[in-house]
Amino acid sequence: MEELFAHLSKYCDVTRDEFRQIQSFFKLRHVDKKQELYRAGRPNLHHYFVVRGCLQMYFITQRGVESTLQFAITDWWMTDYLAWRGGERSEFSIQAVEDSVVLEINKEQQTTLLRRHPVLETYFRKVYEIAYGAALQRIKYMANWSKEEIYFYFRDAHPEFTRNVPQYLLASYLGLTPEYLSKLRRKRGM
């Protein structure tokens, strides 16, 4: 839980006493590599904060291919926000890329948490602003850059992903084939 306190403290003022109350809303969960937190077609019931490890959100295309939308590493949040907000079935699945530890909170608990600790509204707004900005940048890069430029930019900007995420998942996220990604890695000695 100390990781969550440190992250909250970056974006808002939370006292230790207040955090003791906040942490009671979360469930600590250990997730094995490749274990699903939820599967597409089911209601999205939880919001996840990654304490340690890496999560992947993906969907299956009409051709039956797994397509990665996003990753969440330490100190990142993940959920299908549209399904979460509306209480609907998710179109996406979330699974652990590696053995991970997450803090889990359901919608009802989070609503109560925000009502009791309004400072967290500021925290979540700031976190969502960063995430939304990053998503816009990704769309821009995907539209304007070559596949090679996208990979090398991503490799340099996010070395933790290129070291820790399996190549086939990274390729899926970047819109590449695993074979092409392998060729790019060899090309520049990665």
Side-chain angles (χ1 to χ4, degrees), residues 26 34 49 66 146 167 173:
F26 291 90
K34 296 204 178 226
F49 178 79
E66 188 177 291
S146 71
Q167 184 170 310
Y173 176 72

Side-chain angles (χ1 to χ4, degrees), residues 126-184:
K126 289 177 180 179
V127 168
Y128 295 153
E129 287 171 351
I130 292 166
Y132 183 68
L136 291 177
Q137 288 290 25
R138 179 174 181 234
I139 292 167
K140 177 185 167 193
Y141 300 146
M142 298 296 270
N144 286 323
W145 291 358
S146 71
K147 300 292 186 184
E148 186 173 332
E149 289 171 319
I150 291 168
Y151 169 70
F152 288 113
Y153 168 79
F154 190 82
R155 181 200 67 183
D156 295 342
H158 305 287
E160 68 277 13
F161 283 108
T162 52
R163 280 192 309 269
N164 299 329
V165 172
Q167 184 170 310
Y168 76 96
L169 291 179
L170 187 58
S172 170
Y173 176 72
L174 296 175
L176 309 172
T177 64
E179 297 78 17
Y180 184 64
L181 180 58
S182 183
K183 179 182 169 183
L184 288 175

Side-chain angles (χ1 to χ4, degrees), residues 5-177:
F5 178 74
H7 200 258
L8 290 173
S9 297
K10 284 187 201 175
Y11 299 100
C12 64
D13 294 324
V14 177
T15 66
R16 285 280 180 188
D17 287 338
E18 188 172 23
F19 184 70
R20 276 191 278 286
Q21 296 168 28
I22 290 168
Q23 71 184 18
S24 70
F25 286 87
F26 291 90
K27 175 184 172 188
L28 186 67
R29 185 169 170 190
H30 295 267
V31 188
D32 295 330
K33 180 178 180 176
K34 296 204 178 226
Q35 182 181 344
E36 288 187 334
L37 290 146
Y38 66 81
R39 180 183 294 257
R42 296 183 182 156
N44 174 19
L45 303 175
H46 295 95
H47 199 182
Y48 305 99
F49 178 79
V50 180
V51 174
R52 185 180 69 249
C54 181
L55 304 179
Q56 167 207 20
M57 179 184 286
Y58 67 95
F59 67 99
I60 305 298
T61 68
Q62 291 179 344
R63 294 182 312 242
V65 176
E66 188 177 291
S67 183
T68 301
L69 290 173
Q70 65 180 16
F71 294 105
I73 58 173
T74 301
D75 291 342
W76 290 17
W77 288 91
M78 182 176 274
T79 194
D80 172 356
Y81 290 103
L82 289 176
W84 165 265
R85 183 176 178 272
E88 300 166 4
R89 295 184 185 279
S90 179
E91 296 181 31
F92 310 110
S93 297
I94 292 180
Q95 75 175 8
V97 172
E98 59 191 23
D99 290 346
S100 301
V101 176
V102 299
L103 294 175
E104 176 181 274
I105 188 168
N106 70 33
K107 175 124 175 147
E108 182 181 313
Q109 291 168 321
Q110 187 165 332
T111 299
T112 303
L113 173 67
L114 295 175
R115 194 172 40 250
R116 291 186 187 166
H117 302 279
V119 68
L120 294 183
E121 292 280 358
T122 300
Y123 166 77
F124 280 108
R125 178 183 50 81
K126 289 177 180 179
V127 168
Y128 295 153
E129 287 171 351
I130 292 166
Y132 183 68
L136 291 177
Q137 288 290 25
R138 179 174 181 234
I139 292 167
K140 177 185 167 193
Y141 300 146
M142 298 296 270
N144 286 323
W145 291 358
S146 71
K147 300 292 186 184
E148 186 173 332
E149 289 171 319
I150 291 168
Y151 169 70
F152 288 113
Y153 168 79
F154 190 82
R155 181 200 67 183
D156 295 342
H158 305 287
E160 68 277 13
F161 283 108
T162 52
R163 280 192 309 269
N164 299 329
V165 172
Q167 184 170 310
Y168 76 96
L169 291 179
L170 187 58
S172 170
Y173 176 72
L174 296 175
L176 309 172
T177 64

